[in-house]
Amino acid sequence: MNNALSALLVFWEFFKIGLFAVGGGPATLPYLIEVTDKYDWFTMEELTNMIAISESTPGPLGINMATYVGFQTLGTFGGIIATLGLVTPSIIIISVIAAFFAKFSQNKVVQSAFGAIRPAVCAIIAVSVFGICKVTLFPVVDGTVQPFLKTIILAAVVLVLLQFKKLKKIHPFFWFVIGAGIGIAFKF
């Protein structure tokens, strides 16, 4: 496939993700998993690495992921195209909503629609979290599930530690640094 068609395909796939991934970056993950099945742009293992890198870098997860996938697929131009594809639906939708929101914000139908969207977004994010946990903690290697015991233990320890009020106040950046240090020290 030539570069123009590849660029158009990358733009279109990320446009669809941007259009339907309501709820922010984590909501893009089920769509990215679907992309791994449709195209040979990246593997599930590469996707988990992309998630880790995207979470560790400044900026929204969805945009970081789009930029990373686009770069993996078509280089710098692909990163730009994928990012534009992801944000274009939001720009269009927000522009339309802003034009009408003040007029219809107190409308019962609009309020009901927003009330129904919240649980749906929650479910989409929950599916994303489950997918990340499944791929990260219980990856399939050569057709069989291979649980990463060290990763499971680290995730459980961090989950328990984050239940303490004082530890919740620690900036997420430090949890990334601690996780990276443990990964290097114990060869995850």
Side-chain angles (χ1 to χ4, degrees), residues 40-109:
D40 62 350
W41 295 345
F42 52 90
T43 65
M44 284 299 289
E45 184 178 344
E46 290 171 327
L47 179 61
T48 60
N49 292 335
M50 288 182 218
I51 293 167
I53 290 168
S54 296
E55 284 282 5
S56 303
T57 54
L61 174 67
I63 292 175
N64 289 350
M65 290 291 293
T67 305
Y68 195 101
V69 170
F71 181 80
Q72 285 284 104
T73 308
L74 295 171
T76 303
F77 178 69
I80 293 168
I81 291 298
T83 303
L84 286 174
L86 186 76
V87 300
T88 299
S90 297
I91 292 169
I92 294 168
I93 291 168
I94 292 298
S95 297
V96 170
I97 289 173
F100 294 101
F101 188 71
K103 185 175 181 180
F104 295 106
S105 66
Q106 299 305 315
N107 183 301
K108 296 266 189 224
V109 173

Side-chain angles (χ1 to χ4, degrees), residues 8-18 35 38-39 41:
L8 188 60
L9 183 60
V10 167
F11 180 87
W12 175 244
E13 286 299 328
F14 279 94
F15 183 89
K16 291 188 305 187
I17 292 171
V35 167
K38 280 174 78 171
Y39 306 104
W41 295 345

